[in-house]
Amino acid sequence: DEWIRGSSLKVLPGAHRMAASAASLFSGLFTIFEFQRDSVRNQYDHLLSMLRSHVSTVADRYVGNDEAVDESFLLVDALDDLHHELLEGFTRWREKFRACEATGFNAEEGG
């Protein structure tokens, strides 16, 4: 709940639920993988920074399309965009890998 108090995101619908979920996730990463507390905090802050940036981008997109900015969807749309952006490279790699598999290519055997 600490980050939500100092964040411009706090006014968006669903922000408090997302804050609780993110705090739980990062707490779990700290506990399960024994990451250093400062490293977990830095990654948490980085996630929030990227989310703020994507919220701004989504709002700008609405404005650029002469649409009203619907704050009830702003956080969800931004999170969806961020998710897509972070996984885009992996998704492309997976598609190429599957295409190679379909041809019978086996890298271990050299082809």
Side-chain angles (χ1 to χ4, degrees), residues 15-29:
H16 291 278
R17 279 192 322 272
M18 194 199 103
S21 179
S24 176
L25 170 69
F26 280 87
S27 175
L29 291 173

Side-chain angles (χ1 to χ4, degrees), residues 23-85:
S24 176
L25 170 69
F26 280 87
S27 175
L29 291 173
F30 171 74
T31 302
I32 293 169
F33 296 106
E34 299 179 0
F35 291 146
Q36 295 176 353
R37 187 174 303 278
D38 287 344
S39 294
V40 172
R41 181 63 186 198
N42 286 340
Q43 291 304 312
Y44 184 72
D45 290 343
H46 184 210
L47 173 67
L48 296 179
S49 175
M50 289 188 302
L51 189 55
R52 278 189 211 102
S53 176
H54 279 74
V55 165
S56 176
T57 301
V58 169
D60 287 348
R61 187 179 329 135
Y62 283 135
V63 171
N65 292 334
D66 291 326
E67 299 174 23
V69 177
D70 186 348
E71 289 184 353
S72 64
F73 293 108
L74 196 55
L75 193 57
V76 173
D77 288 350
L79 193 56
D80 187 50
D81 281 6
L82 178 58
H83 180 261
H84 175 75
E85 182 179 311

